[in-house]
Amino acid sequence: MKQSQADSLSKIAPLHFGEKFGFLTFSMSSNVVFQFKSIYYLFFLTNVLKIDMLVAGLILTIGTIWDAINDPIIGFWSVNHKFKNGERCSPFALWFALPWAVSVVLLFCDFKTGQTVTVILALVIYFAFEALNTFAGNPLQQHGQPCH
């Protein structure tokens, strides 16, 4: 490792217990939600909303492709955007935590609409969930990197 890299690494301030605990709780809750969505969302689409298995699989596939597209775009924008308080990533966690939580609840809502509207709503809500998940999770993923 070059000397300049070693110097920059030694200048990173150690984390206090409160910061570590905050990242632990956010990481744990984010992973619980993600695993719950990964395990039960297809079941919900097919057995509760009565969406055809092929269409439900397409919703998940298109949503995953959307996530692959929006992750680098949102990541690039959040790291290169500076807020008025001088921070780059932390405000995203504050601003998008509540909308992300709402999107998690909406993922598992049955709006009792027709099949076409149900499919469109499922896709739109899944897109919103994936984008908000990226915005809310960005500070956690950027921790330890120059993001302030």
Side-chain angles (χ1 to χ4, degrees):
M1 182 167 21
K2 295 180 182 177
Q3 184 62 28
S4 63
Q5 288 175 332
D7 290 341
S8 67
L9 289 176
S10 66
K11 292 179 185 177
I12 296 174
L15 293 176
H16 300 291
F17 176 77
E19 286 180 290
K20 289 178 184 177
F21 187 74
F23 281 102
L24 167 93
T25 55
F26 179 80
S27 178
M28 184 178 71
S29 64
S30 178
N31 282 309
V32 165
V33 167
F34 189 79
Q35 291 304 321
F36 184 80
K37 188 255 329 164
S38 296
I39 294 169
Y40 292 111
Y41 194 53
L42 184 61
F43 175 84
F44 177 79
L45 291 175
T46 57
N47 293 344
V48 176
L49 297 182
K50 305 293 185 205
I51 295 174
D52 181 65
M53 181 69 79
L54 176 66
V55 176
L58 282 173
I59 290 171
L60 291 175
T61 302
I62 294 167
T64 303
I65 292 169
W66 162 246
D67 187 42
I69 292 168
N70 81 44
D71 278 358
I73 294 169
I74 293 171
F76 178 81
W77 179 66
S78 66
V79 169
N80 291 303
H81 178 78
K82 196 169 191 176
F83 289 89
K84 290 179 183 178
N85 64 358
E87 291 194 30
R88 293 186 187 271
C89 294
S90 297
F92 287 112
L94 298 173
W95 292 359
F96 290 102
L98 187 59
W100 174 70
V102 170
S103 75
V104 171
V105 172
L106 290 176
L107 274 176
F108 294 96
C109 284
D110 184 358
F111 295 102
K112 308 270 189 237
T113 60
Q115 191 68 24
T116 304
V117 175
T118 299
V119 168
I120 292 169
L121 279 173
L123 188 59
V124 168
I125 292 169
Y126 192 59
F127 272 37
F129 167 78
E130 290 294 353
L132 292 168
N133 189 47
T134 301
F135 272 119
N138 225 12
L140 177 69
Q141 313 225 344
Q142 292 297 327
H143 195 68
Q145 297 178 17
C147 193
H148 41 45

